[in-house]
Amino acid sequence: MAHPTQTAPAPLGRRERRKLEVRERIYLAAHALFDSKGFDATTVDEIASAADVAPATFFNHFQNKHALLEMMADGVIETLDDLTARHLAGSASSAERLRALIRSASDEIRPRRRVARLVLIEFIREAGPDQPSAYLDRILEPFAALIEEGQRAGDFRDDHDAAFLAQMAVGMLNSAIARWLSDPDSPVEQGLVEVTEFVLNVLQRPSEPT
């Protein structure tokens, strides 16, 4: 059966490239200002000035500054999905893959912790009150798969099914996030690493009685 000929997408014209460049500049300027000043203290005029555009140009690209926060929240989701796919698959032990995921997540938060906190709050707001941990619920399925692998390898306890253990583990990780969301000075990066070690201790297969 013949395959239809696939043609490469036409390159963007100069005008389209310019629009994308301006939009990216506004986004990066807002990101830096939200991180240094906070969302509420940052004005559209300040974002436009930092991006070297007129306020009217800002509104040609974004309805308001909240639209930028929503875009940043989408970026957090993409990053979480990427980290999960990259670290929870592989040939290392289940425990080491979990450690690698949390270390990478902590490294992502560290240089932009203020913006990361803002966008997580935005993500929770969009998810609604019925899903207070929606940002971590996304990793439940791959997390359960990782635990199931650890059970088959004899590394993790098997007195509960993997889905239940994943739910408990994600709940413990969520406790570190929840503390940070209520207290911006909470050392969330360190907290996530410490909780991960506690989770691994809980998941460890109990010693056989002698």
Side-chain angles (χ1 to χ4, degrees), residues 150-159 200-208:
Q151 289 175 326
R152 287 197 298 266
D155 297 329
F156 291 160
R157 63 194 306 156
D158 57 6
D159 52 342
L200 289 172
N201 186 57
V202 171
L203 291 175
Q204 190 175 29
R205 179 185 285 274
S207 301
E208 295 292 336

mmCIF file of all heavy atoms in Angstrom, residues 150-159 200-208:
data_model
loop_
_atom_site.group_PDB
_atom_site.id
_atom_site.type_symbol
_atom_site.label_atom_id
_atom_site.label_comp_id
_atom_site.label_asym_id
_atom_site.label_seq_id
_atom_site.Cartn_x
_atom_site.Cartn_y
_atom_site.Cartn_z
ATOM 1 N N GLY A 150 9.230 -2.898 41.160
ATOM 2 C CA GLY A 150 10.002 -3.145 42.375
ATOM 3 C C GLY A 150 9.488 -4.344 43.142
ATOM 4 O O GLY A 150 10.270 -5.090 43.748
ATOM 5 N N GLN A 151 8.180 -4.551 43.129
ATOM 6 C CA GLN A 151 7.604 -5.733 43.785
ATOM 7 C C GLN A 151 8.045 -7.012 43.076
ATOM 8 O O GLN A 151 8.407 -8.003 43.725
ATOM 9 C CB GLN A 151 6.079 -5.626 43.799
ATOM 10 C CG GLN A 151 5.539 -4.560 44.740
ATOM 11 C CD GLN A 151 4.033 -4.403 44.639
ATOM 12 O OE1 GLN A 151 3.447 -4.556 43.554
ATOM 13 N NE2 GLN A 151 3.376 -4.104 45.756
ATOM 14 N N ARG A 152 8.008 -6.998 41.742
ATOM 15 C CA ARG A 152 8.413 -8.190 40.998
ATOM 16 C C ARG A 152 9.887 -8.508 41.207
ATOM 17 O O ARG A 152 10.295 -9.671 41.216
ATOM 18 C CB ARG A 152 8.135 -8.006 39.500
ATOM 19 C CG ARG A 152 6.659 -8.070 39.143
ATOM 20 C CD ARG A 152 6.474 -8.290 37.652
ATOM 21 N NE ARG A 152 7.033 -7.193 36.871
ATOM 22 C CZ ARG A 152 6.338 -6.145 36.457
ATOM 23 N NH1 ARG A 152 5.049 -6.037 36.760
ATOM 24 N NH2 ARG A 152 6.919 -5.189 35.738
ATOM 25 N N ALA A 153 10.692 -7.446 41.377
ATOM 26 C CA ALA A 153 12.124 -7.641 41.590
ATOM 27 C C ALA A 153 12.446 -8.042 43.025
ATOM 28 O O ALA A 153 13.590 -8.378 43.342
ATOM 29 C CB ALA A 153 12.882 -6.362 41.234
ATOM 30 N N GLY A 154 11.433 -7.996 43.901
ATOM 31 C CA GLY A 154 11.654 -8.351 45.296
ATOM 32 C C GLY A 154 12.205 -7.220 46.132
ATOM 33 O O GLY A 154 12.625 -7.435 47.276
ATOM 34 N N ASP A 155 12.203 -5.983 45.582
ATOM 35 C CA ASP A 155 12.746 -4.836 46.319
ATOM 36 C C ASP A 155 11.698 -4.170 47.207
ATOM 37 O O ASP A 155 12.023 -3.612 48.259
ATOM 38 C CB ASP A 155 13.292 -3.792 45.338
ATOM 39 C CG ASP A 155 14.440 -4.324 44.506
ATOM 40 O OD1 ASP A 155 15.180 -5.187 45.020
ATOM 41 O OD2 ASP A 155 14.587 -3.885 43.348
ATOM 42 N N PHE A 156 10.444 -4.172 46.760
ATOM 43 C CA PHE A 156 9.384 -3.477 47.468
ATOM 44 C C PHE A 156 8.401 -4.477 48.073
ATOM 45 O O PHE A 156 8.228 -5.590 47.565
ATOM 46 C CB PHE A 156 8.629 -2.534 46.529
ATOM 47 C CG PHE A 156 9.422 -1.340 46.072
ATOM 48 C CD1 PHE A 156 9.039 -0.644 44.934
ATOM 49 C CD2 PHE A 156 10.532 -0.900 46.772
ATOM 50 C CE1 PHE A 156 9.750 0.463 44.504
ATOM 51 C CE2 PHE A 156 11.260 0.200 46.351
ATOM 52 C CZ PHE A 156 10.867 0.884 45.212
ATOM 53 N N ARG A 157 7.757 -4.063 49.115
ATOM 54 C CA ARG A 157 6.768 -4.882 49.806
ATOM 55 C C ARG A 157 5.622 -5.231 48.849
ATOM 56 O O ARG A 157 5.279 -4.444 47.969
ATOM 57 C CB ARG A 157 6.237 -4.138 51.019
ATOM 58 C CG ARG A 157 5.491 -2.855 50.682
ATOM 59 C CD ARG A 157 5.258 -1.968 51.901
ATOM 60 N NE ARG A 157 4.597 -2.711 52.961
ATOM 61 C CZ ARG A 157 4.675 -2.369 54.242
ATOM 62 N NH1 ARG A 157 5.403 -1.305 54.604
ATOM 63 N NH2 ARG A 157 4.039 -3.069 55.150
ATOM 64 N N ASP A 158 5.034 -6.396 49.053
ATOM 65 C CA ASP A 158 3.924 -6.806 48.204
ATOM 66 C C ASP A 158 2.690 -7.190 49.025
ATOM 67 O O ASP A 158 1.821 -7.913 48.555
ATOM 68 C CB ASP A 158 4.331 -7.958 47.290
ATOM 69 C CG ASP A 158 4.845 -9.167 48.064
ATOM 70 O OD1 ASP A 158 4.780 -9.145 49.319
ATOM 71 O OD2 ASP A 158 5.308 -10.124 47.427
ATOM 72 N N ASP A 159 2.635 -6.684 50.287
ATOM 73 C CA ASP A 159 1.455 -6.955 51.107
ATOM 74 C C ASP A 159 0.295 -6.026 50.765
ATOM 75 O O ASP A 159 -0.814 -6.174 51.295
ATOM 76 C CB ASP A 159 1.797 -6.848 52.600
ATOM 77 C CG ASP A 159 2.477 -5.531 52.959
ATOM 78 O OD1 ASP A 159 2.988 -4.841 52.041
ATOM 79 O OD2 ASP A 159 2.513 -5.198 54.157
ATOM 80 N N LEU A 200 10.700 5.446 50.412
ATOM 81 C CA LEU A 200 11.445 4.237 50.048
ATOM 82 C C LEU A 200 11.595 3.306 51.242
ATOM 83 O O LEU A 200 11.564 2.077 51.089
ATOM 84 C CB LEU A 200 12.818 4.614 49.480
ATOM 85 C CG LEU A 200 12.790 5.251 48.089
ATOM 86 C CD1 LEU A 200 14.164 5.766 47.705
ATOM 87 C CD2 LEU A 200 12.272 4.254 47.051
ATOM 88 N N ASN A 201 11.731 3.877 52.421
ATOM 89 C CA ASN A 201 11.808 3.049 53.624
ATOM 90 C C ASN A 201 10.485 2.329 53.868
ATOM 91 O O ASN A 201 10.462 1.138 54.234
ATOM 92 C CB ASN A 201 12.168 3.924 54.829
ATOM 93 C CG ASN A 201 12.415 3.104 56.077
ATOM 94 O OD1 ASN A 201 13.272 2.221 56.095
ATOM 95 N ND2 ASN A 201 11.678 3.389 57.130
ATOM 96 N N VAL A 202 9.377 3.032 53.645
ATOM 97 C CA VAL A 202 8.054 2.426 53.806
ATOM 98 C C VAL A 202 7.824 1.336 52.761
ATOM 99 O O VAL A 202 7.228 0.291 53.038
ATOM 100 C CB VAL A 202 6.954 3.512 53.700
ATOM 101 C CG1 VAL A 202 5.573 2.882 53.642
ATOM 102 C CG2 VAL A 202 7.036 4.454 54.898
ATOM 103 N N LEU A 203 8.306 1.572 51.535
ATOM 104 C CA LEU A 203 8.095 0.617 50.446
ATOM 105 C C LEU A 203 8.984 -0.621 50.553
ATOM 106 O O LEU A 203 8.692 -1.653 49.936
ATOM 107 C CB LEU A 203 8.370 1.283 49.090
ATOM 108 C CG LEU A 203 7.379 2.352 48.637
ATOM 109 C CD1 LEU A 203 7.870 2.985 47.339
ATOM 110 C CD2 LEU A 203 6.002 1.760 48.425
ATOM 111 N N GLN A 204 10.043 -0.502 51.333
ATOM 112 C CA GLN A 204 10.993 -1.605 51.422
ATOM 113 C C GLN A 204 10.317 -2.880 51.904
ATOM 114 O O GLN A 204 9.487 -2.864 52.815
ATOM 115 C CB GLN A 204 12.145 -1.227 52.370
ATOM 116 C CG GLN A 204 13.300 -2.191 52.368
ATOM 117 C CD GLN A 204 14.434 -1.673 53.234
ATOM 118 O OE1 GLN A 204 14.198 -0.943 54.218
ATOM 119 N NE2 GLN A 204 15.657 -2.018 52.906
ATOM 120 N N ARG A 205 10.699 -4.001 51.301
ATOM 121 C CA ARG A 205 10.129 -5.287 51.719
ATOM 122 C C ARG A 205 10.534 -5.574 53.155
ATOM 123 O O ARG A 205 11.719 -5.487 53.509
ATOM 124 C CB ARG A 205 10.660 -6.391 50.802
ATOM 125 C CG ARG A 205 10.148 -7.775 51.160
ATOM 126 C CD ARG A 205 10.816 -8.824 50.283
ATOM 127 N NE ARG A 205 10.277 -8.806 48.947
ATOM 128 C CZ ARG A 205 9.190 -9.464 48.558
ATOM 129 N NH1 ARG A 205 8.522 -10.205 49.444
ATOM 130 N NH2 ARG A 205 8.781 -9.405 47.318
ATOM 131 N N PRO A 206 9.581 -5.908 54.021
ATOM 132 C CA PRO A 206 9.918 -6.215 55.418
ATOM 133 C C PRO A 206 10.839 -7.442 55.507
ATOM 134 O O PRO A 206 10.772 -8.354 54.672
ATOM 135 C CB PRO A 206 8.556 -6.524 56.061
ATOM 136 C CG PRO A 206 7.548 -5.923 55.145
ATOM 137 C CD PRO A 206 8.136 -5.975 53.773
ATOM 138 N N SER A 207 11.706 -7.422 56.501
ATOM 139 C CA SER A 207 12.614 -8.552 56.696
ATOM 140 C C SER A 207 11.818 -9.781 57.107
ATOM 141 O O SER A 207 10.812 -9.692 57.841
ATOM 142 C CB SER A 207 13.647 -8.216 57.784
ATOM 143 O OG SER A 207 14.391 -7.076 57.439
ATOM 144 N N GLU A 208 12.255 -10.902 56.601
ATOM 145 C CA GLU A 208 11.602 -12.156 56.974
ATOM 146 C C GLU A 208 11.889 -12.482 58.437
ATOM 147 O O GLU A 208 13.016 -12.325 58.894
ATOM 148 C CB GLU A 208 12.122 -13.309 56.093
ATOM 149 C CG GLU A 208 11.766 -13.158 54.615
ATOM 150 C CD GLU A 208 10.279 -13.293 54.364
ATOM 151 O OE1 GLU A 208 9.606 -13.931 55.190
ATOM 152 O OE2 GLU A 208 9.790 -12.757 53.347
#
